């Protein structure tokens, strides 16, 4: 679902979060100061998040979206 970005192309204090590619595009358009993607991560269904720029509620919502996506891929629903 999420973890600290470890590739050198990511900025320090960046979270990498699994999202759909369409959702990623929306995040990038809505808040490019918070969300970004590097060339390395471009092919993957993830978005990079600057932890210093995201508030608690937005992070909660983002992780909820990521969790639902992960559960859908495993066939589990809650």
């Amino acid at each position: 679902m999420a973890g600290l970005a470890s590739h050198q192309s990511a900025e320090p204090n960046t979270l990498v979060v699994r999202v759909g590619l369409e959702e990623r595009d929306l995040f990038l358009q809505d808040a490019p100061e918070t969300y970004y993607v590097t060339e390395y991560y471009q092919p993957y269904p993830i978005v990079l998040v600057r932890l210093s720029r995201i508030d608690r509620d937005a992070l909660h919502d983002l992780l909820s979206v990521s969790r639902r996506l992960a559960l859908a891929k495993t066939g589990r629903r809650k």
Side-chain angles (χ1 to χ4, degrees), residues 6-72:
S6 60
H7 192 266
Q8 65 188 18
S9 66
E11 298 172 13
N13 299 315
T14 292
L15 192 66
V16 59
V17 181
R18 173 176 275 192
V19 295
L21 294 175
E22 290 178 14
E23 288 88 354
R24 178 177 73 188
D25 290 342
L26 293 174
F27 287 124
L28 296 174
Q29 289 174 12
D30 288 346
E33 68 283 351
T34 302
Y35 305 101
Y36 71 104
V37 66
T38 66
E39 186 176 328
Y40 174 81
Y41 289 103
Q42 186 71 35
Y44 306 104
I46 60 92
V47 68
L48 298 170
V49 183
R50 293 178 179 100
L51 289 173
S52 64
R53 304 289 302 190
I54 193 166
D55 66 38
R56 180 179 220 130
D57 291 336
L59 181 58
H60 180 271
D61 292 345
L62 178 63
L63 293 175
S64 293
V65 167
S66 182
R67 182 174 184 271
R68 282 193 299 273
L69 179 65
L71 288 175

